[in-house]
Every structure is written in C-alpha cells, then in structure tokens.
Amino acid sequence: MSTMAIPQAAAAVHLHDDRPFIRRYIFSTDHKIIGIQFLFMSLLFLLVGGLLAMMMRWQLAWPADAQHPLPGGSLLPETMVAQGIMLPEFYNSLMTMHGTILVFFAIMPLLVGVFANYLIPLQCGAPDMAFPRLNMLSFWTAVPAGVLMVAGFFVQGGHAAAGWTAYAPLSAVPEYSGVSTGQVLWTVSLIILGFSSLMGAVNYISTVINMRAPGMTWFRLPLPVWALFITSVLILLAMPVLAGALILLLFDQVLGTSFYLPQANGEPLLWQHLFWFFGHPEVYILILPAFGFVSEILANGARKPIFGYHAMVLAIVAIAFLGWIVWGHHMFQSGMNPMLGNTFMFSTMVIAVPTAIKVFNWLGTLWRGSIQFQVPMLNAIAFVAMFVIGGLSGVFLASTPVDIFYHDTYFVVAHIHYVLFGGSLFGIFAAITYWFPKMFGRMMSERLGKIHFFLTFLFFNLAFFPMHNLGNAGMMRRIYDYRQYAHLADLQPLNEFISLSAFALGVTQLLFAFNFLWSLFRGKKAEQNPWRANSLEWSAPSPPPHGNFAVTPIVYRGPYEYSSPESAEDYLPQDQPPAEQPVPAPDLVPASS
Ligand code: HEM
Ligand SMILES: [Cu+2]
C-alpha cells in the first residue's frame, strides 16, 4: 500500500491550481479548457445554424404566403422580411449561412476543435498538447473568424448569398448576387478560420507522434486518436487549398483581378476545382472523427473488443487517401470529358469498399455482445444506421448518368443531411454524452437523454427521408418558391409535412440543451470511470487536473480488452499491470526442461 501514497501526493500538488481566473479559463493553454471553449462556441453556432434552417423551412412550407407570416418576422428589417414575407435575397443568405455556419463553425469544431483537443493528450497519456500556446492561439483565431461571420448579417446589402460552395463568378461580382460587403466578410472570415484549423492540425499531429506514453504503440492507440490524427492530416493538406482559392476570390472581389471571371479570360471552373479539391476531403474531415468516437462507444456498450482493429485503422487511411481523387463527382455537370467523368465515378465507388469494411466491423462488434443501451450507445447505433442510408444515396449520386438528373435536387439535400446530421451529429451526441462525465465531473440525465434520442431519431427521419422524394419529383435545391414551376406546385403538402417535422426536430434539441446545462450544475457526481472503459482518460480523475496524470501512465495493451479472460471484471484498463504469471508447480514441469 505504501506505493499508492506517491501518486496521490503528486495528484494533490497538481490539483492545486493557483493561476488567476483569466489564465485558467479564458486564455488557458490547458488542452481540456480549450476543448471546452470550442464546445461552448460550437454549440452556440449549432443553435444559430439550426435557427436559420427553421426560417428556411417556414418559407418552404408556405412560400411567400401572406396567410402564414414568418413568426418574429416583424423584428427583422424590411430588407429581410417585408410584411411578414421573407424576401428572396434574404432566403439566399439564410441558405448560404446555414450551410457555412454548420459546416465550418459547428460540426467541424465540434468534431475536431472539441474532441481532438480534449481526447488526444488524455488518450495518449500526455500531460498536454505538444504546443500549448499554439493551441490557445488556434482557439483565439477562431473567435474573430466567428465574429466576422456573424457580422455579415448586419451590413448593408445583407449577408453572403452565393451558397456555402460560393461558386464564382456569382460570389465574385456584387452585381450578380446583390451582395458586396457580406460576401467579402464571408471570404475573410473563412481565410482566418483556415489558419486556426491549420494551427490545430499541426499540434494534433505532433502530439500523437511525440507525446504517447510509454507502451502506447501506434496499434494500441484508441480509434478516436487514429481518426483524429488522420483527420488532422486531411486538414493540413486541404485547408491551404481552400485558403488559396479564397485569397484569389478576395482579390477578384476587392482588387479588380479576374481569376474566376470569364469576361477577362479568367476561369470559373478553376474555383470549382479548387473548392472541391478541398471540399471532398472536407466532407471526410466532417465524418472520420465520428467514425472514431462511434467505434469506441460501440465496443464499450457491447462489452466486446472492437471487431477488426487493424482493418478499422487501414479503412480510415484508405478513405482519407481515396478522398483526394474523387472531387470531380461534384462537377459531372460542368461539361467535363465523359471519360474523365467515368474515372471520377469509379474512384468514388471504390470508397464504398473501406466504408463497408467499417460498417461490417461495427456490426461484428455488436454481434453477440451483451449490449447496454445507454444514451451514448443509442446515438452510436443510430449513427451506423443513418450513415448507411447516407452512404448508399452517395453511391447513387456517384453514378454519372444518375447524378445528371439528381444533381442540384433535393435528393442531394437528403444525402448531405443523412451523412452530416444522421452521421456526424449523432456521432457528436454520442461523444458528448459519453465524455461529458470526464469533462465536467457530472453525469447527464439518462432519462432526458433517451427522450431526446428517440424524438431526434424519429423527427430526423420524418424530416429528411421524404426529401429523397422531392428530389425524385425534380424539386431543385436552393429554391425560394418552387410553386412558380407548374410541375412542382403539388409538392406543397409534402414540403409542409417536412417543415413541421423539422420544427419538431428543432424543438427536441432544446431538451438536449436543457440536459446539458442542467447536468453541468445539478448532474449526479461522476465516478472516475463510469462506463467501465479501458482507455487512459478513465484512469485520471473526473475532471482531470491540470497536467492530467499524477504519474505518467504505462501502457500494457490495446484499448478494447473487454470481457477478457485475463480479468475478473469485464474490462481491463490499458495501464493496469498484467497479473503475476502463476509459477507452475514443480511436478507439472516437463522432465526434459
Ligand atoms: C460512400 C460515401 C459517399 C459518397 C459515394 C458520396 C457521394 C457524393 C456525390 C456524388 C455528391 C455530389 C452530388 C451532386 O451535387 O450532384 C455528394 C454531395 C455531397 N456529399 Fe457526399 N458522398 C459520400 C459520403 C459523404 C459524407 C461522409 C459526407 C459528409 C459527412 C458527405 C457530404 C456531402 C455534401 C455536403 C454534399 C453536397 C455538396 C454541395 O453542397 O453541393 N458525403 N456526395
Ligand atoms: Cu464529394
């Protein structure tokens, strides 16, 4: 017992933190605090982006209908909503900002800013990031980017309206979209955010390479670390392409250059190539971390080792690699050579192989497990189911002859929401509810969590599945009033149904917000290891002190040793020393030795 005294004494030293409030919680270099700062920032943006969607759905349910004035519309200026009716130019800004805010300021920082920061040092057994100050700078660079992005709503001419993909020349010439300052703010904000992401990525990569605890070999890393590591490599290679494209766009907007303007020998297709060369890897940035979280939570909830650990790692690497050679599937309609279209079609379909490997391995993990349906597990299972639907609609879209009809219809909107809401966001719900006890030292309410989960699952499918039908019926995406087209006028009832489901989905999220805030202050105190998990973060107190571990942990095995015969419990922490090997009795030793 005397050996126990040393780590406890050391922990007491660490726990006593006498830095002033501002260094501890505002300009903190502690990776856990920075992760939590990203959490609050991106949950706020999730709320804003969701509200914009609710406004769009109101317009789509009752397009420009004086009988159904936009609730709260009178609070907005006449340049946005006139006599309760949303103006088309405002609709375009809503649709642009919904996509931009949710992709860049909600899902991406939730997956990477929050969990790469929080999990990488803890799961690697490190006291902090490799470059703690760079980490702080990364967060404080994201903040002004967010402020500029929101500021666009308040400037003359309204906010950016060229879609989250900002196709030039629409995004480059103010006369085309009717927006000038808003579009420039959009561009500048994303350039700044790009720098923030890059600073994060170099930090995450360096930490995983250099700061692993003794015994933490590459193939003993928990899958969230692998997924976040590969994602960081994607960020490192993709963000500069976006930043470069955006800087050229900014020149076209404000300096009178014409990189993307055909009238002065510029090339509009250059934007599409640069954007999607970044953009397709970006969609993997938006899903790979969730793959990692879900793998962790499924193994834990099934009380079984993850099925095919090495295959899971290789599949992430393969998806990340293939993600670089498929960008043309967003451009089938751009007039490219059909042979080129075919290569993009085949390379895209090949991605289904590693993706399917992952899905079957998740099912293999669940197979004959003693499954425990706690809230993180429910969300993780929903992730697998919803991601399969989104992945399958992706394979439809990847087929050139099919995509020629589906492109720019609501079928694409259905696809992106099955992968981004059904996939990424369910993964985020799983991750937040799983790591909340570690982050804040309190449990979230299981009952509220279950109600939130079931209602979200229901309303999500009611809202988004019928969008496949809208696409089949030919309804275009990014449309203000589809009833202007005779063949779409009949779609109003289905649109109304979708909108009502979306409103219910939105209201359901208030349950999550309530559960989150309530549990922060009132939740049951969390134990050190409430999910009886194996990875190193659960060997630290909840929440871990500054510096994380009292003594550097030593790692003896991989993170998925659930129900191992080596242990009487159904789990076996990575840092638990192996039991003493029983010495064979003399009469059992073969005579020859
Ligand atoms: C098996 C995997 C996937 C395949 C085969 C696939 C295929 C495609 C294709 C061909 C398109 C272009 C549709 C068009 O505009 O005509 C598309 C669009 C899109 N995909 Fe996927 N996809 C897959 C997974 C994902 C994932 C995991 C995400 C994000 C988490 C994602 C996000 C998007 C988004 C956001 C768009 C729309 C981009 C826009 O605004 O135009 N996809 N996908
Ligand atoms: Cu793509």
Side-chain angles (χ1 to χ4, degrees), residues 212-446:
R212 283 170 288 125
M216 184 62 91
T217 59
W218 282 93
F219 288 115
R220 283 180 182 169
L221 281 172
L223 289 170
V225 177
W226 263 112
L228 290 163
F229 177 73
I230 303 291
T231 303
S232 304
V233 175
L234 289 183
I235 293 178
L236 189 70
L237 301 177
M239 288 320 273
V241 180
L242 177 68
L246 286 168
I247 289 170
L248 299 187
L249 179 63
L250 186 65
F251 288 170
D252 278 8
Q253 287 168 343
V254 300
L255 293 186
T257 57
S258 51
F259 290 103
Y260 303 123
L261 306 183
Q263 58 271 41
N265 287 327
E267 180 53 273
L269 274 184
L270 175 63
W271 171 265
Q272 293 190 27
H273 278 294
L274 291 175
F275 184 84
W276 288 117
F277 190 73
F278 145 81
H280 191 83
E282 168 70 14
V283 307
Y284 288 119
I285 293 169
L286 296 169
I287 200 80
L288 292 182
F291 284 177
F293 309 154
V294 163
S295 302
E296 187 85 359
I297 294 166
L298 287 181
N300 178 277
R303 311 310 291 167
K304 271 184 63 191
I306 190 87
F307 189 92
Y309 174 91
H310 289 86
M312 290 304 243
V313 173
L314 289 178
I316 298 179
V317 176
I319 293 172
F321 172 77
L322 290 170
W324 290 102
I325 56 168
V326 300
W327 79 96
H329 64 216
H330 296 275
M331 298 171 61
F332 287 142
Q333 294 287 59
S334 66
M336 65 169 69
N337 182 322
M339 276 311 288
L340 189 58
N342 277 342
T343 59
F344 280 125
M345 170 166 89
F346 287 122
S347 56
T348 303
M349 291 197 173
V350 171
I351 298 195
V353 176
T355 311
I357 290 178
K358 298 201 73 78
V359 171
F360 284 115
N361 283 357
W362 287 322
L363 298 181
T365 305
L366 294 176
W367 178 251
R368 295 194 160 181
S370 47
I371 299 179
Q372 304 179 354
F373 292 102
Q374 281 137 333
V375 173
M377 185 66 172
L378 289 171
N379 282 287
I381 294 172
F383 167 95
V384 177
M386 299 298 97
F387 177 72
V388 166
I389 298 181
L392 284 179
S393 63
V395 178
F396 283 48
L397 293 173
S399 162
T400 323
V402 177
D403 187 60
I404 284 174
F405 293 96
Y406 275 145
H407 180 63
D408 258 329
T409 70
Y410 258 76
F411 195 92
V412 178
V413 181
H415 164 70
I416 63 186
H417 288 91
Y418 267 89
V419 284
L420 281 173
F421 193 130
S424 312
L425 200 56
F426 272 112
I428 287 166
F429 285 142
I432 292 181
T433 49
Y434 185 77
W435 279 290
F436 186 97
K438 187 56 54 184
M439 286 182 167
F440 302 110
R442 288 179 188 272
M443 304 300 288
M444 286 178 82
S445 153
E446 273 284 309

Side-chain angles (χ1 to χ4, degrees), residues 86-137:
M86 178 183 295
L87 301 181
E89 10 332 2
F90 185 51
Y91 184 86
N92 286 345
S93 296
L94 286 180
M95 146 237 124
T96 302
M97 295 316 300
H98 164 72
T100 304
I101 287 183
L102 286 177
V103 165
F104 291 103
F105 290 92
I107 305 291
M108 208 174 155
L110 275 167
L111 289 170
V112 184
V114 177
F115 288 102
N117 265 310
Y118 200 84
L119 291 182
I120 287 178
L122 277 168
Q123 291 200 326
C124 287
D128 207 314
M129 285 287 175
F131 310 115
R133 287 201 202 124
L134 190 68
N135 207 16
M136 177 174 89
L137 188 61

